[in-house]
Amino acid sequence: AQGTPQRGGGGGSRRPPERLASRMCEAWTCPRSQSMGGRTVKRPERYGGSPDNSPERPARKRARGPLQPLRKRTRCGTCAACNATNCKACRFCLDMPKYGGTGTLRQPCIQRLCEAMLAEKLQAKEAAAAEREADREKRRAEREAEREARDEVRRAARMARNTEREARRGPRR
């Protein structure tokens, strides 16, 4: 029917065609399928194409700070919280399938949060906050230095203008 929205596979993009075309780059041939005749496709910039028609991937941005391997936090198993039973009343217990929930939250009971894990998490948060504060102080000092330099330039320009005016007026009586 006319005027009804299309369902499923209706293009999905609301951008006008000219904007879509501007994001495309030169034709690119899939290296895996080259032995079978190669399939040529246009590769959008956001997936590694580049506007200068070279199919090379752009350099990826690195995350701030050193890269550390991710590890899964595990319970200590010795603290009182690790050995406690589920309370069956908190929102996480009520979400557990064994207590009739859907299991979408997938979190432990509030009474069973490991004390060692909480201490580690708190320590990581404090370290991150201290690092952010140090960065903030550094940026503040840089801005202050720039402000002082601008003020010094303005003072020098003002002094030059004043001496020039006085020179035009002539000597004072």
Side-chain angles (χ1 to χ4, degrees), residues 24-27 50-56:
M24 302 299 272
C25 71
E26 110 176 276
S50 59
D52 63 347
N53 293 336
S54 63
E56 297 175 8

Side-chain angles (χ1 to χ4, degrees), residues 145-161:
E146 288 172 2
R147 189 177 300 127
E148 299 252 342
R150 278 195 313 264
D151 289 348
E152 186 62 36
V153 168
R154 287 177 183 156
R155 272 190 229 110
R158 192 178 310 130
M159 292 285 287
R161 281 194 308 264

Side-chain angles (χ1 to χ4, degrees), residues 34-54:
Q34 275 185 336
S35 62
M36 298 181 297
R39 181 175 155 217
T40 303
V41 294
K42 285 206 172 231
R43 196 165 186 203
E45 288 176 35
R46 65 176 172 253
Y47 295 121
S50 59
D52 63 347
N53 293 336
S54 63

Side-chain angles (χ1 to χ4, degrees), residues 29 34 50 64 87-88 93 107 116-117 124-125 139 149 153 157:
T29 305
Q34 275 185 336
S50 59
R64 290 174 66 184
C87 70
K88 301 176 188 170
C93 282
Q107 294 294 312
M117 285 176 67
K125 276 187 176 181
R139 287 193 305 269
V153 168

